Amino acid sequence: LRWSMRDNVNYTQTGLLAILDHVAKNAPEMLRNFYRKGFNSWQRGVEGSPYAFVIPDDQPDRKRVADMVNLLLRQGIEVGRSRETIAVAERRFPEGSFVVRMDQPYRNYAVDLLLPQGFPRDAEQPPYDDTSWALPVHYGVETVRIDERGILEAPLDPVTEEVRPT
């Protein structure tokens, strides 16, 4: 038995048609589940830490900061820009710093992208994957996790357009 590129295409097409058929037959339930997932994610950001991540704008390589913020925006993650200096977590962040609040529908995705991956030290098998999707590590950008609820009161302007480095 030989496996060809055409077999790959047929196999993929069959899977995609099955998915489309399932979604078409269960559209109201799929929409309701999507809403629930976003609502539950938002609630986790309101009720527990982390409450936000701050990306200071005054970093040496502002192009990397802009690139990372723009990637977050393209992923549907809400980002704000501080209107004044933010004093939280025993630090002061300058006006214009980027803040990714966790009271948003894509909270879980934002946490995945902004925190390094943690693997249990006592795992039977070490992780096979040597790549990382932690954006701050990838971009070399300082990102500060904020576990204080007060960050949710910081005055922010939503970032709605692509960020350009100053």
Side-chain angles (χ1 to χ4, degrees):
L1 181 69
R2 283 186 51 195
W3 189 264
S4 68
M5 182 67 86
R6 182 68 202 171
D7 294 317
N8 269 355
V9 171
N10 289 347
Y11 188 73
T12 302
Q13 181 184 27
T14 301
L16 291 172
L17 289 173
I19 291 168
L20 288 172
D21 182 61
H22 177 76
V23 171
K25 289 177 180 172
N26 300 289
E29 181 183 2
M30 299 289 285
L31 183 59
R32 194 169 31 258
N33 287 343
F34 184 76
Y35 170 80
R36 281 188 193 129
K37 182 178 176 183
F39 180 84
N40 292 340
S41 182
W42 167 68
Q43 284 297 296
R44 284 188 72 191
V46 169
E47 296 170 358
S49 64
Y51 290 102
F53 290 86
V54 176
I55 306 163
D57 184 42
D58 61 350
Q59 299 188 44
D61 192 341
R62 291 186 175 173
K63 179 170 182 347
R64 286 177 178 250
V65 171
D67 288 346
M68 188 176 91
V69 169
N70 289 332
L71 181 58
L72 291 170
L73 292 170
R74 284 193 302 274
Q75 298 304 310
I77 295 169
E78 299 168 10
V79 180
R81 199 149 198 186
S82 63
R83 283 187 238 145
E84 57 191 45
T85 300
I86 299 173
V88 67
E90 300 179 13
R91 286 200 49 188
R92 295 177 66 78
F93 300 100
E95 176 183 340
S97 291
F98 297 97
V99 179
V100 181
R101 290 175 34 169
M102 294 296 104
D103 58 343
Q104 61 172 296
Y106 289 115
R107 176 223 179 257
N108 297 337
Y109 187 36
V111 169
D112 283 345
L113 292 176
L114 295 172
L115 285 179
Q117 288 72 60
F119 299 100
R121 293 186 189 280
D122 60 347
E124 280 187 41
Q125 299 292 324
Y128 68 91
D129 195 354
D130 62 353
T131 62
S132 171
W133 57 82
L135 294 182
V137 174
H138 174 75
Y139 282 97
V141 170
E142 179 191 15
T143 303
V144 181
R145 175 185 170 145
I146 306 296
D147 290 323
E148 296 176 21
R149 188 181 187 93
I151 191 70
L152 298 178
E153 305 303 321
L156 304 175
D157 292 322
V159 178
T160 57
E161 295 181 6
E162 184 174 304
V163 176
R164 304 222 183 274
T166 56

